[in-house]
Amino acid sequence: MVSLATEKKQDLNLLSRIASGDGHGENSSYFEGWKAYEENPFHPIDRPDGVIQMGLAENQLCGDLMRKWVIEHPEASICTEQGVNQFSDIAIFQDYHGLPEFRQAVAKFMEKTRNNRVKFDPDRIVMSGGATGAHETVAFCLANPGDGFLVPTPYYPGFDRDLRWRTGVNLVPVTCHSSDGFKITVEALEDAYEKALLSNIPVKGLLMTNPSNPLGTTLDRECLKSLVNFTNEKRIHLIADEIYAATTFGQSEFISVAEVIEEIEDCNRDLIHIVYSLSKDMGLPGFRVGIIYSYNDRVVQIARKMSSFGLVSSQTQRLIAKMLSDEDFVDEFIRESKLRLAARHKELTTGLDGLGIGWLKAEAGLFLWMDLRNLLKTATFDSETELWRVIVHQVKLNVSPGGSFHCHEPGWFRVCFANMDHKTMETALERIRVFTSQLEEETKPVAAAPMMAKKKKKCWQSNLRLSFSDKRRFDDGFFSPHSPVPPSPLVRAQT
Amino acid sequence: MKQLSTKVTSNGHGQDSSYFLGWEEYEKNPYDEIKNPDGIIQMGLAENQLCFDLIETWLAKNPDAAGLKKDGQSIFKELALFQDYHGLPEFKKALAEFMEEIRGNRVTFDPSKIVLAAGSTSANETLMFCLAEPGDAFLLPTPYYPGFDRDLKWRTGAEIVPIHCTSSNGFQITESALQQAYQQAQKLDLKVKGVLVTNPSNPLGTMLTRREINLLVDFISSKNIHLISDEIYSGTVFGFEQFVSVMDVLKDKNLENSEVSKRVHVVYSLSKDLGLPGFRVGAIYSNDEMVVSAATKMSSFGLVSSQTQYLLSALLSDKKFTSKYLDENQKRLKIRQKQLVSGLEAAGVTCLKSNAGLFCWVDMRHLLDTNTFEAELELWKKIVYEVKLNISPGSSCHCTEPGWFRVCFANMSEDTLDLAMKRLKEYVESTDSRRMISKSSHERIKSLRKRTVSNWVFRVSWTDRVPDER
């Protein structure tokens, strides 16, 4: 009779290390907030006290335009009366080159989102299962297990899974500091490169996201040139994740690496690759349209063969081909999307400004990089996590803590704003307002007794500890020292 | 070259195989009834094109599903945002029920144990990542689908060790062949993690017998390894015998909730049964919750488009449609297969008796000059370039005996199939007469054959442990 413990051990041996380990990265706090949201999602009518999702970088602002177009163009679907004559041809189409009209339309769209300042060759477009699939495929093409990619911090937590999990590739952080607006400096790059070598990690490339997730900033021309020069000089690859290309608004301008390489003499283009997707710019994450665009012929060839593992559904290719070929629609969509992003961004930042909450100046992306460093008890990540748990479980906003993005410094949070309507944004801001005003009350020095002030702070702290496991609804006045704090079941148990 | 990974610089993608080269030739000169009547007829593509009319009729009757609507309202936006790797619940439910229906509702599939993938290509690779370390091996009966060399080995680093099956018993899996393969793996210092079978078989078109499946279940049980049953052709069974799934056998042996059942995994897809390869709908079914959990996370790398999930959940939930479809599909496949078999017979060519799949396993051993793979490839080249039929040589499927070819029948019209058979008949007759005229010409041909075929013959995988420097 085998004991349960031994049985479990045997179980683990039956699966690969990849499957039984936690390289999928889902134990990260980034995902914990999502779970809290899923257990109690906000709804203005059904669940007004639910958690508002501000941890999901989705672009939901122009769904109406998209829906309208789809309704007005039934021929774009292979299932409607107008399009069904194409059904069988499309249904059997599994050529990993993809539908030519799809590639052409995507190339054109990529040009438009870069203000038509560069040309993209449809024959270099390779499909993948979303940008998630694209990144993994690029890693498989450019690196062997044990090799490393430099990645400027803070970076999208999904990279830990996408680039490393099944590929065995390492990520080497390039530390960017808040003191200079998180710029990527050559010094930081050199530093990271050296560290990698010392750790016996052969560096194969540099991956950067531009516009940045989570910062929302765009790289200027000089910086981009320096990245191209750095990688060229070291003869390593440069992978530019440009999935937020069309989300720039206001004064900011997006400059693609595609543009910059035209200006660099003797640029080794075999080292330049772009990852793209329609999930953010067009708000279509469900359709899994990922793109690898490489200037290296061999990489295009092999990535294309690998795309068999994540082709875009031909039904979707056809719809996208039709949609993106409608230039008037595309122009209107991009224009309108930028306007709405700008408006929603302004709403959030105006609200935060009014509350004295800082944020990194940026005009791209679907999120804000919020500065709550002054709310931390201590400048530690433990403190950041504690604050974050309060925000998720009590203020009921799922925001993403900077630590999960590998930020060098605690106290930063990514707050998404493009995945909600105006009313929800208002509610979120109100909750932040209440939270911060209560905090102010809590920490306001009371003239008479310093002891009292200390006690009050302690009150808040102990509430913190208790409330993490407290799943009760609570009223807006919870943090107010003036209203009685309802005893938590935990306290009752102790007495 | 050092700047790219070894996955890029080696040829692990397997596309130098003759299987794919034949496709390339077809692409250069594809047959078209009107535009290119002398072009190459594609008989190397296992596609099911016989029942699109049924789906198109259904679409016309179901405008909501066709128009991405629910109760008349467009749900485009909701679908566009839906990227949950657990998949659309109604789709997984419908898929589970469809799989049950194919197995005569004798077994049940729990939707929560289904993991969606981008085609069975992705499903098989994902299972490998979950079950095998780089360097571990899976045993596969030969002949097998050439794509497995890429899907199972390329990026995973896993190895395939063949279980040799021969025509002496209709290519069935025997106990001694299984044991031999296991020992061979051990000799090569490879840890065997499991066995993978395709049932019904590609390229044979036959179903595994109950005896064979019992043998496999007993084998994996005793060795404490996995069994993957790729059942993507389960809905293409058209004979009188019933399809026996590995799930049937587990049930019959009362092993449904046992430890062994946790090591049995089924792969499915809608590419063959429904003829929708372009939609990239694959699935893994596993009783092991760790496998389901890990595979679900991995599916992020190849999710099924939500647009497609929605359409198919509506289609497969319509039980009237699925029952009619499966029935009609069966009938049409049977007729088409019969047409191929008779056409071959008229050309003096026989094939392995089969009752499933989209192809026949054709015996052309008597047309070989010598009983060698070189001769098989010579014959294949003639058939592609002179007879203008793209068929797949057995060597590309790792068959141990030269002279067998896989010939597909479900991806063309009746007229095209007729024409293909005519061409073959003419070729065989001309070959026969040529043979009768000059025996010595055989010697001449032999000496003229200068080109080495080593690049063409796809070496059995485990000898290729060091990738070629190309």
Side-chain angles (χ1 to χ4, degrees):
Chain A
M1 248 300 229
V2 181
S3 76
L4 198 63
T6 325
E7 245 179 43
K8 271 234 111 118
K9 199 175 170 208
Q10 278 177 354
D11 276 346
L12 289 176
N13 284 337
L14 279 172
L15 302 188
S16 66
R17 276 187 286 273
I18 288 176
S20 42
D22 57 4
H24 48 74
E26 275 183 40
N27 300 332
S28 147
S29 49
Y30 182 78
F31 296 101
E32 190 187 318
W34 285 31
K35 289 178 195 152
Y37 165 77
E38 262 152 43
E39 282 162 19
N40 184 19
F42 170 81
H43 186 275
I45 298 155
D46 301 336
R47 278 175 182 260
D49 292 322
V51 176
I52 295 178
Q53 176 63 288
M54 301 191 93
L56 190 54
E58 263 179 13
N59 185 353
Q60 294 190 24
L61 303 184
C62 289
D64 59 317
L65 297 180
M66 196 80 77
R67 194 185 342 116
K68 180 165 174 279
W69 188 92
V70 167
I71 291 171
E72 286 171 4
H73 293 84
E75 75 284 0
S77 163
I78 50 171
C79 302
T80 55
E81 199 185 313
Q82 296 84 344
V84 79
N85 58 346
Q86 292 292 303
F87 183 85
S88 54
D89 284 341
I90 299 292
I92 55 171
F93 187 84
Q94 58 174 328
D95 180 349
Y96 61 26
H97 290 87
L99 285 173
E101 53 264 36
F102 170 75
R103 279 185 289 115
Q104 278 150 23
V106 170
K108 197 106 229 119
F109 184 72
M110 287 173 73
E111 288 169 3
K112 274 190 193 292
T113 52
R114 289 148 181 82
N115 287 307
N116 293 308
R117 290 197 298 256
V118 276
K119 283 239 151 294
F120 287 98
D121 177 1
D123 290 338
R124 288 193 176 282
I125 291 201
V126 175
M127 295 182 287
S128 60
T132 301
H135 277 296
E136 193 196 41
T137 296
V138 168
F140 271 126
C141 286
L142 306 183
N144 292 313
D147 288 343
F149 283 131
L150 305 178
V151 194
T153 65
Y155 64 79
Y156 163 58
F159 282 159
D160 289 320
R161 170 197 60 193
D162 302 349
L163 294 161
R164 299 183 326 164
W165 190 22
R166 306 192 305 182
T167 60
V169 169
N170 295 299
L171 291 185
V172 181
V174 177
T175 309
C176 301
H177 293 269
S178 57
S179 50
D180 61 1
F182 297 95
K183 282 200 166 45
I184 309 171
T185 62
V186 175
E187 293 73 36
L189 288 169
E190 292 283 1
D191 195 46
Y193 188 85
E194 288 306 308
K195 280 206 176 85
L197 291 186
L198 285 169
S199 315
N200 280 322
I201 297 175
V203 175
K204 279 298 170 66
L206 165 66
L207 164 67
M208 51 92 165
T209 310
N210 177 35
S212 162
N213 175 10
L215 304 175
T217 50
T218 49
L219 297 179
D220 61 36
R221 208 173 285 274
E222 306 334 305
C223 181
L224 275 165
K225 277 192 175 150
S226 73
L227 296 182
V228 174
N229 289 330
F230 173 82
T231 49
N232 254 226
E233 188 198 310
K234 296 270 192 276
R235 288 169 59 80
I236 61 176
H237 296 277
L238 177 61
I239 306 145
D241 182 339
E242 298 188 345
I243 71 170
Y244 292 100
T247 66
T248 53
F249 50 84
Q251 299 303 313
S252 104
E253 204 199 14
F254 171 62
I255 302 168
S256 166
V257 74
E259 212 185 309
V260 162
I261 59 175
E262 300 284 336
E263 297 165 15
I264 295 177
E265 238 184 270
D266 300 324
C267 174
N268 181 355
R269 295 191 183 195
D270 274 349
L271 299 173
I272 309 289
H273 322 274
I274 297 176
V275 164
Y276 189 58
S277 157
L278 297 183
S279 301
K280 310 296 179 182
D281 287 350
M282 294 211 81
L284 303 171
F287 289 2
R288 315 314 303 147
V289 183
I291 302 291
I292 298 169
Y293 189 95
S294 176
Y295 290 89
N296 181 319
D297 292 345
R298 183 86 175 133
V299 171
V300 169
Q301 214 185 47
I302 296 298
R304 186 161 281 143
K305 290 177 176 37
M306 286 190 187
S307 68
S308 296
F309 298 111
L311 294 172
V312 176
S313 167
S314 54
Q315 178 192 17
T316 301
Q317 285 186 53
R318 175 117 194 305
L319 175 69
I320 297 298
K322 290 273 176 233
M323 190 184 278
L324 299 186
S325 307
D326 185 342
E327 298 211 34
D328 290 335
F329 168 73
V330 170
D331 290 338
E332 190 210 343
F333 184 92
I334 294 174
R335 206 173 34 237
E336 196 55 35
S337 177
K338 285 175 192 278
L339 286 171
R340 296 182 192 186
L341 283 170
R344 197 52 59 77
H345 177 265
K346 190 160 189 178
E347 200 182 338
L348 176 60
T349 54
T350 305
L352 294 179
D353 284 345
L355 300 171
I357 293 177
W359 44 277
L360 184 71
K361 294 274 171 288
E363 287 177 318
L366 311 173
F367 32 70
L368 201 68
W369 192 234
M370 187 169 66
D371 181 0
L372 296 182
R373 287 175 292 176
N374 59 345
L375 291 187
L376 295 184
K377 284 203 288 284
T378 52
T380 59
F381 284 107
D382 281 342
S383 207
E384 177 187 277
T385 306
E386 212 182 309
L387 174 58
W388 172 70
R389 291 209 165 114
V390 170
I391 298 175
V392 170
H393 297 287
Q394 289 183 7
V395 189
K396 302 265 177 77
L397 301 176
N398 179 31
V399 297
S400 313
S404 65
F405 293 86
H406 304 277
C407 187
H408 76 106
E409 178 183 46
W412 294 89
F413 292 80
R414 189 191 75 172
V415 184
C416 299
F417 58 77
N419 63 317
M420 62 187 68
D421 59 24
H422 165 71
K423 276 221 81 74
T424 309
M425 173 62 77
E426 267 188 348
T427 310
L429 281 169
E430 179 59 18
R431 289 184 184 181
I432 298 174
R433 189 194 66 74
V434 167
F435 173 57
T436 50
S437 71
Q438 299 315 326
L439 280 185
E440 265 181 42
E441 287 297 320
E442 289 280 344
T443 55
K444 212 192 288 183
V446 174
M451 264 305 261
M452 230 20 165
K454 234 179 153 179
K455 208 178 177 185
K456 280 195 178 113
K457 191 159 186 192
K458 235 180 145 185
C459 235
W460 176 65
Q461 281 172 351
S462 64
N463 289 347
L464 250 182
R465 268 199 302 279
L466 296 170
S467 62
F468 176 56
S469 50
D470 185 354
K471 293 216 167 45
R472 288 174 305 126
R473 271 187 55 173
F474 65 92
D475 305 319
D476 274 351
F478 188 84
F479 285 117
S480 162
H482 304 297
S483 61
V485 174
S488 124
L490 277 180
V491 172
R492 258 176 295 178
Q494 277 167 14
T495 52
Chain B
M1 268 315 181
K2 252 174 50 183
Q3 279 169 350
L4 301 181
S5 67
T6 50
K7 287 176 182 58
V8 166
T9 53
S10 69
N11 60 351
H13 49 73
Q15 273 185 232
D16 298 338
S17 154
S18 45
Y19 181 77
F20 296 103
L21 290 166
W23 284 27
E24 279 171 26
E25 287 310 312
Y26 163 77
E27 298 286 327
K28 289 182 205 159
N29 182 20
Y31 169 79
D32 182 284
E33 205 178 342
I34 298 152
K35 290 183 245 179
N36 191 16
D38 292 323
I40 298 177
I41 296 176
Q42 175 64 289
M43 303 190 91
L45 192 53
E47 265 178 13
N48 184 355
Q49 295 190 26
L50 305 185
C51 291
F52 285 125
D53 59 313
L54 299 179
I55 300 178
E56 285 157 6
T57 307
W58 184 89
L59 288 169
K61 293 200 191 126
N62 290 270
D64 257 14
L68 296 182
K69 295 194 179 111
K70 206 170 202 167
D71 304 321
Q73 293 301 311
S74 168
I75 54 164
F76 181 84
K77 192 179 167 180
E78 289 77 1
L79 286 175
L81 295 171
F82 185 83
Q83 56 174 327
D84 181 355
Y85 57 28
H86 292 98
L88 218 55
E90 49 267 43
F91 176 54
K92 290 215 298 197
K93 179 170 180 286
L95 187 61
E97 287 166 357
F98 186 61
M99 289 168 74
E100 288 170 356
E101 194 175 349
I102 288 174
R103 290 155 185 76
N105 291 308
R106 297 182 303 272
V107 290
T108 51
F109 286 93
D110 177 354
S112 68
K113 294 180 180 174
I114 292 181
V115 179
L116 298 176
S120 60
T121 299
S122 171
N124 279 312
E125 191 198 41
T126 293
L127 264 181
M128 278 301 118
F129 272 122
C130 287
L131 306 179
E133 306 294 350
D136 285 345
F138 260 75
L139 310 180
L140 266 68
T142 64
Y144 64 76
Y145 162 57
F148 281 151
D149 291 311
R150 170 197 60 194
D151 302 348
L152 304 177
K153 302 189 322 163
W154 191 19
R155 306 190 309 178
T156 62
E159 296 286 354
I160 295 176
V161 174
I163 302 165
H164 294 298
C165 301
T166 66
S167 58
S168 61
N169 69 343
F171 295 93
Q172 288 191 23
I173 303 170
T174 62
E175 169 131 35
S176 66
L178 254 180
Q179 294 290 356
Q180 244 181 345
Y182 191 86
Q183 280 151 26
Q184 177 65 13
Q186 293 188 311
K187 254 193 237 151
L188 295 167
D189 216 18
L190 298 172
K191 184 160 187 222
V192 176
K193 274 301 179 58
V195 180
L196 186 150
V197 296
T198 308
N199 179 29
S201 162
N202 175 11
L204 302 174
T206 52
M207 299 187 290
L208 287 182
T209 58
R210 202 174 278 273
R211 179 200 66 82
E212 284 169 283
I213 304 178
N214 269 310
L215 171 66
L216 289 166
V217 172
D218 290 342
F219 183 76
I220 63 145
S221 184
S222 69
K223 297 274 191 260
N224 201 32
I225 59 178
H226 297 273
L227 175 61
I228 301 172
S229 183
D230 183 338
E231 300 188 352
I232 71 169
Y233 290 99
S234 49
T236 66
V237 174
F238 51 79
F240 289 115
E241 298 95 334
Q242 205 177 60
F243 170 62
V244 179
S245 162
V246 69
M247 302 292 278
D248 282 299
V249 169
L250 285 178
K251 185 173 185 196
D252 295 343
K253 284 165 90 89
N254 279 322
L255 290 172
E256 265 170 322
N257 294 307
S258 65
E259 271 309 295
V260 179
S261 73
K262 280 176 142 188
R263 297 200 302 277
V264 174
H265 321 277
V266 174
V267 166
Y268 189 54
S269 157
L270 297 180
S271 301
K272 310 296 177 184
D273 292 348
L274 285 187
L276 307 172
F279 290 2
R280 314 315 301 145
V281 183
I284 296 168
Y285 186 87
S286 176
N287 288 308
D288 184 330
E289 51 185 46
M290 274 184 79
V291 171
V292 171
S293 170
T296 301
K297 293 174 174 63
M298 287 187 192
S299 67
S300 298
F301 300 112
L303 296 172
V304 178
S305 170
S306 55
Q307 178 192 17
T308 301
Q309 287 190 57
Y310 183 69
L311 170 70
L312 295 176
S313 71
L315 186 77
L316 296 182
S317 301
D318 185 342
K319 302 298 178 215
K320 258 193 171 155
F321 168 79
T322 55
S323 133
K324 179 174 180 203
Y325 182 94
L326 288 171
D327 195 51
E328 195 56 35
N329 187 38
Q330 206 183 62
K331 289 195 176 99
R332 297 182 190 185
L333 285 170
K334 187 173 189 172
I335 294 171
R336 197 55 65 83
Q337 189 246 25
K338 215 167 173 192
Q339 189 188 346
L340 174 65
V341 172
S342 340
L344 289 170
E345 273 171 7
V349 177
T350 59
C351 52
L352 185 70
K353 193 158 183 296
S354 67
N355 47 17
L358 310 173
F359 33 71
C360 282
W361 190 235
V362 178
D363 185 355
M364 297 202 195
R365 288 177 292 177
H366 61 294
L367 297 176
L368 297 184
D369 286 332
T370 52
N371 184 27
T372 60
F373 285 111
E374 284 90 342
E376 176 184 283
L377 278 155
E378 282 303 313
L379 174 59
W380 174 71
K381 274 186 255 169
K382 286 203 187 92
I383 296 178
V384 172
Y385 294 108
E386 290 173 25
V387 189
K388 306 263 183 68
L389 303 177
N390 178 34
I391 63 178
S392 313
S395 50
S396 68
C397 301
H398 302 280
C399 188
T400 46
E401 298 172 22
W404 293 89
F405 291 80
R406 189 191 77 170
V407 181
C408 301
F409 57 76
N411 63 315
M412 64 191 75
S413 69
E414 276 181 44
D415 290 340
T416 309
L417 185 53
D418 240 358
L419 174 63
M421 293 298 96
K422 268 200 190 79
R423 288 184 185 178
L424 184 65
K425 186 163 186 253
E426 278 164 21
Y427 168 74
V428 172
E429 281 167 357
S430 72
T431 316
D432 282 346
S433 55
R434 260 189 275 142
R435 276 212 170 110
M436 287 197 291
I437 289 168
S438 165
K439 242 185 177 178
S440 63
S441 66
H442 168 67
E443 300 306 316
R444 248 192 297 132
I445 290 167
K446 225 175 153 182
S447 67
L448 281 173
R449 225 183 295 124
K450 285 244 165 69
R451 199 188 321 191
T452 59
V453 290
S454 57
N455 287 349
W456 293 83
V457 176
F458 202 84
R459 286 187 216 94
V460 185
S461 56
W462 79 91
T463 59
D464 260 2
R465 298 187 68 188
V466 176
D468 295 330
E469 300 288 329
R470 300 247 174 125

